[in-house]
Amino acid sequence: MITKTFQNLRLSALGMGAMRLPVVDGNDAQIDEAEAARMVSYAMEHGINYYDTAWGYHDGNSETAMGKILAAYPWDSYFLATKFPGYDLSNMDKVEEIFEKQLEKCGVEYFDFYLFHNVCEMNVDAYLDEKYGILDYLLKQKENGRIRHLGFSAHGSREVMERFLDSYGSYMEFCQIQLNYLDWDFQDAKGKVELLNSCHIPIWVMEPLRGGKLAFLPEEQEEKLSKLRGEKTPAWAFRFLQTVPGVTVVLSGISDFEQMKENISTFEENKPLDKKEWEALLGVAGEMVKKIALPCTGCHYCVSHCPKQLDIPALLELYNEHSFTGGGFIAPMALMAVPEDKHPDACIGCRSCEAVCPQQIKISEAMADFASRLQG
C-alpha cells in the first residue's frame, strides 16, 4: 500500500469510506456487519489505515458499525474520521450534543480527523455564523485532545470554498472534495484543487469513481484507453488522482469485497499518467458530458433578456449536473440558497433568452424539464 505523509503521520493513500457498506436485503439502514468486518480485516491486512464515516451515513448507523468493527484492532493501527452534520441546518445549534453522541456511537475517546461536513451554498452562512459557536467548540475539543486534526468537506463551488477559507482557513488542516476526471472540468474540480494548493491545504478525495459511473465505460472508450495503458477502467480513475498535485488520501466507498481487493491492488503502485494519457482521459470525460450536458458558455446574454432575471447559466450548470447524475442532492442543495422566485419553475417560457443564445440552447425546455425532475 502506498502511503502519504501528513504532518507527522503516514496515511494510506487509499482510505475506506463507510457510506456504501454492504447491507442486508437492500436496506441501507441495515448494515451487513459481518461482511463489513471481513472487508475491514482485509483492508487492515493490506495497509489501509484510514477509515471515514459520518453522522448520517446508512441512516445514522455507519458510525456505530465502524466503531464496533474497529474496536477489534489496536487503537494506534488506524485513523478514524467523522464529521459534524451541517448539511442539515437544524443541527447547527447542536454541535456539543452531536459531538458527544458521536464519540459514544464510535466507542472512542477522540477522533483522529474531524470535518465540517459538506460546506456548500446552502449552509456556508450558518457555518460562519458565530452565534452557533461551531468552530469555537471544535477548536476547544482539539485543544482538549478530543480532535487531533480538523478539516472540512465541500460540495459547494470554488467561491463558497473561498468564503469558508477566508474566515476559517487558518484552522483547516485538510479538505475533502469530490474529485475525479469527469468533474475536473464539469464541476470545476480543477479550480478547487488550485485553490487548496494555493492555501497549502492537503486534499482528501471523495467520489473518485463518481458513484460508480467511472467504473465502467462504453466499449469504444475502454478500447481507446487500453491502447495507451493496459489497466482496468477503475484503475484509470485512481491513476488520474495519483497525478493531481496535493492529493493525500483517496476515499473509496467500497461496497463489496471484490471491489475492495481490486482497489487495493491498484494502490500497491504509484503510476501517475503521462501527458498523452492525461489528455486522453479528459477527452473521454468530455465525450461523456457532451452526450447529456447543454453547451452553455456562461456568456449571460440570456440573463439580460430574461423578464424574470433568472441566473440562467447557473441554473443550466445545475441542470447539467442533475441530468448527468440522474438526480442526486447537489442541485437541490444548491437551490436551497436561491430565492424561490429564481428557481427553474419561475421560467415563464417566453423564449426571449433563446433568441440571443449563441449556442441555440432551448432554455425554456431545459427549465421546464429541470423543474419536473426536481418535483419528481
Side-chain angles (χ1 to χ4, degrees):
M1 171 61 62
I2 305 162
T3 60
K4 295 290 188 77
T5 300
F6 171 76
Q7 298 183 21
N8 63 334
L9 305 175
R10 294 295 294 179
L11 305 178
S12 55
L14 177 65
M16 180 175 173
M19 185 175 73
R20 298 186 178 99
L21 295 172
V23 298
V24 178
D25 296 330
N27 181 357
D28 190 61
Q30 191 175 351
I31 297 167
D32 185 340
E33 291 191 15
E35 182 63 8
R38 186 168 80 102
M39 292 167 61
V40 170
S41 175
Y42 187 88
M44 286 283 192
E45 290 171 8
H46 291 81
I48 290 183
N49 64 7
Y50 191 97
Y51 297 86
D52 171 270
T53 183
W55 178 259
Y57 292 172
H58 286 285
D59 201 23
N61 295 320
S62 177
E63 288 175 324
T64 303
M66 289 304 294
K68 188 185 305 182
I69 292 167
L70 290 169
Y73 301 91
W75 66 268
D76 58 352
S77 65
Y78 64 88
F79 302 100
L80 178 61
T82 194
K83 315 170 186 76
F84 174 72
Y87 55 81
D88 181 345
L89 293 176
S90 68
N91 290 331
M92 289 301 181
D93 60 352
K94 301 181 179 70
V95 60
E96 180 175 359
E97 173 189 337
I98 289 174
F99 184 79
E100 295 295 340
K101 185 63 177 179
Q102 287 176 304
L103 290 172
E104 178 186 327
K105 288 172 68 179
C106 292
V108 296
E109 295 181 359
Y110 65 87
F111 292 115
D112 299 288
F113 294 86
Y114 197 84
L115 299 82
F116 288 78
H117 198 171
N118 187 15
V119 175
C120 63
E121 289 79 359
M122 175 266 296
N123 62 19
V124 65
D125 288 331
Y127 265 143
L128 298 178
D129 194 329
E130 294 183 0
K131 74 180 181 185
Y132 295 121
I134 299 171
L135 177 66
D136 289 342
Y137 179 81
L138 296 180
L139 289 177
K140 187 67 175 179
Q141 303 318 304
K142 187 178 177 186
E143 182 182 323
N144 293 338
R146 303 172 87 202
I147 293 174
R148 298 298 168 88
H149 302 284
L150 184 62
F152 71 108
S153 70
H155 277 289
S157 67
R158 175 175 176 161
E159 290 71 27
V160 166
M161 291 173 61
E162 286 175 339
R163 279 193 60 203
F164 187 81
L165 288 169
D166 284 344
S167 295
Y168 291 174
S170 61
Y171 305 108
M172 296 296 106
E173 299 174 71
F174 65 104
C175 175
Q176 190 165 304
I177 60 172
Q178 180 167 313
L179 175 57
N180 52 67
Y181 64 84
L182 182 87
D183 288 319
W184 189 247
D185 292 314
F186 189 48
Q187 276 202 15
D188 191 28
K190 177 182 179 181
K192 297 172 187 179
V193 166
E194 290 172 348
L195 171 65
L196 294 171
N197 283 339
S198 71
C199 296
H200 306 290
I201 295 177
I203 297 168
W204 269 227
V205 174
M206 56 184 163
E207 299 292 354
L209 293 171
R210 243 293 181 148
K213 287 186 177 292
L214 303 183
F216 304 97
L217 298 177
E219 185 177 346
E220 179 183 347
Q221 294 172 332
E222 288 196 354
E223 287 180 1
K224 182 186 299 184
L225 295 179
S226 66
K227 289 178 182 178
L228 294 172
R229 182 188 290 214
E231 291 200 87
K232 293 183 178 180
T233 300
W236 275 88
F238 293 126
R239 300 302 182 206
F240 172 83
L241 297 170
Q242 290 177 351
T243 316
V244 176
V247 169
T248 299
V249 175
V250 176
L251 293 167
S252 183
I254 305 169
S255 56
D256 68 69
F257 197 77
E258 290 305 313
Q259 184 185 85
M260 164 166 281
K261 288 169 65 176
E262 187 173 307
N263 291 354
I264 287 175
S265 176
T266 299
F267 275 85
E268 289 176 351
E269 295 181 276
N270 186 46
K271 297 172 63 177
L273 306 178
D274 61 28
K275 186 174 186 292
K276 187 176 181 180
E277 292 168 335
W278 175 275
E279 290 176 351
L281 197 57
L282 291 184
V284 166
E287 291 173 12
M288 292 173 68
V289 171
K290 190 187 300 183
K291 291 179 179 179
I292 294 180
L294 298 176
C296 175
T297 62
C299 68
H300 281 78
Y301 295 157
C302 54
V303 177
S304 62
H305 285 69
C306 177
K308 304 293 286 185
Q309 288 296 290
L310 302 182
D311 188 347
I312 295 170
L315 291 175
L316 288 178
E317 183 177 348
L318 291 175
Y319 175 68
N320 283 339
E321 161 62 29
H322 207 60
S323 299
F324 186 88
T325 308
F329 66 91
I330 291 179
M333 180 183 66
L335 286 170
M336 288 179 68
V338 177
E340 287 192 12
D341 63 351
K342 303 298 181 186
H343 282 206
D345 61 2
C347 173
I348 59 175
C350 68
R351 301 182 184 273
S352 297
C353 55
E354 295 174 14
V356 296
C357 176
Q359 309 303 319
Q360 300 182 345
I361 299 172
K362 295 180 179 179
I363 297 170
S364 60
E365 293 180 15
M367 292 299 103
D369 185 46
F370 194 9
S372 176
R373 289 171 184 257
L374 291 168
Q375 291 170 1

